[in-house]
Amino acid sequence: MPNAEQMRLIERNRAAALKRLSDNRLLRAQVESGDDLQTAQAACAPKEIRPTCTAVGTADCDMTPARERSSAWGSLRPPTAKDIAPRRITKAFIAPPPPYDWVVVLDFEWTCSDSRAMSPCSEITQFPSVLVRLAGRASSIVDEFDTFVRPTFNPVLSQFATRLTGITQADVDSAPPLSRAITNYLAWLKRHELIDSETNERLGRWTMCTWTDADIG
């Protein structure tokens, strides 16, 4: 039989254990029922943690014991390692690029037909471009570039293409090929100091825009 001092120590340890583990009902019940602290702790020791994965990959696995998940989060999914990982800086904190001073608008016309495919590809028949100076509501058209282009693979226009675009066979027959049209276009951009006269590299703050992605695809 333990003496009085030992009994007081046992009771003090029992009270401390109950206070530290007050949220564990099972352990409290076993301690209060008379089991010694070591036996109660062994019976209530956490079982092997089995990850509950909500997505593919270990970063998305919840390593929290099921008993803790249910008591702390109820029906909600606890946060995973991926949820609490440091985030990359959002774009809201990145300085926006400086505004453009100029916009070059392109709107090509192409060979086409309603009865057959253009083989090996559709070709440009008109190469128009408009230079716009951006100044808010005071924006204005500064200059225009426009030339017809003589197609190489399908030099004879279909009646459908003429009806659709208004470009006639005479327009393309007297027009330069695409290679010369591009040379003339680069000279136009250089005249407005949009590209370097020697390297053809972009100068200043400007961009191109088109009616559809087909114009640049």
Side-chain angles (χ1 to χ4, degrees), residues 105-210:
V105 184
L106 288 171
D107 186 15
F108 297 131
E109 298 295 346
W110 308 79
T111 55
C112 57
S113 174
D114 59 350
S115 60
R116 64 182 181 87
M118 292 289 101
S119 179
C121 62
S122 293
E123 299 172 85
I124 296 174
T125 55
Q126 187 176 12
F127 197 136
S129 201
V130 176
L131 176 61
V132 179
R133 182 179 65 86
L134 298 177
R137 294 189 177 184
S139 298
S140 60
I141 295 176
V142 175
D143 197 7
E144 298 181 16
F145 174 90
D146 193 8
T147 180
F148 292 114
V149 180
R150 185 171 70 249
T152 301
F153 301 117
N154 297 276
V156 179
L157 300 181
S158 67
Q159 292 182 358
F160 173 78
T162 297
R163 292 195 306 269
L164 181 66
T165 65
I167 300 172
T168 66
Q169 189 65 46
D171 291 331
V172 297
D173 286 344
S174 59
L178 181 59
S179 59
R180 193 188 309 166
I182 291 177
T183 299
N184 296 338
Y185 187 67
L186 292 176
W188 179 72
L189 294 175
K190 292 174 183 178
R191 189 164 65 250
H192 290 286
E193 299 182 345
L194 298 179
I195 61 175
D196 187 90
S197 59
E198 296 183 0
T199 64
N200 289 338
E201 293 183 355
R202 183 191 301 261
L203 299 175
R205 297 192 300 267
W206 64 277
T207 189
M208 286 187 172
C209 63
T210 64

Side-chain angles (χ1 to χ4, degrees), residues 8 10 13 17 23 26-27 43 49 56 60 63 135 143 151 160 172 194 208-209:
R8 283 194 296 271
I10 292 173
N13 290 341
D23 59 336
L26 178 59
L27 181 59
I49 298 175
V56 177
D60 295 317
M63 301 300 293
D143 197 7
F160 173 78
V172 297
L194 298 179
M208 286 187 172
C209 63

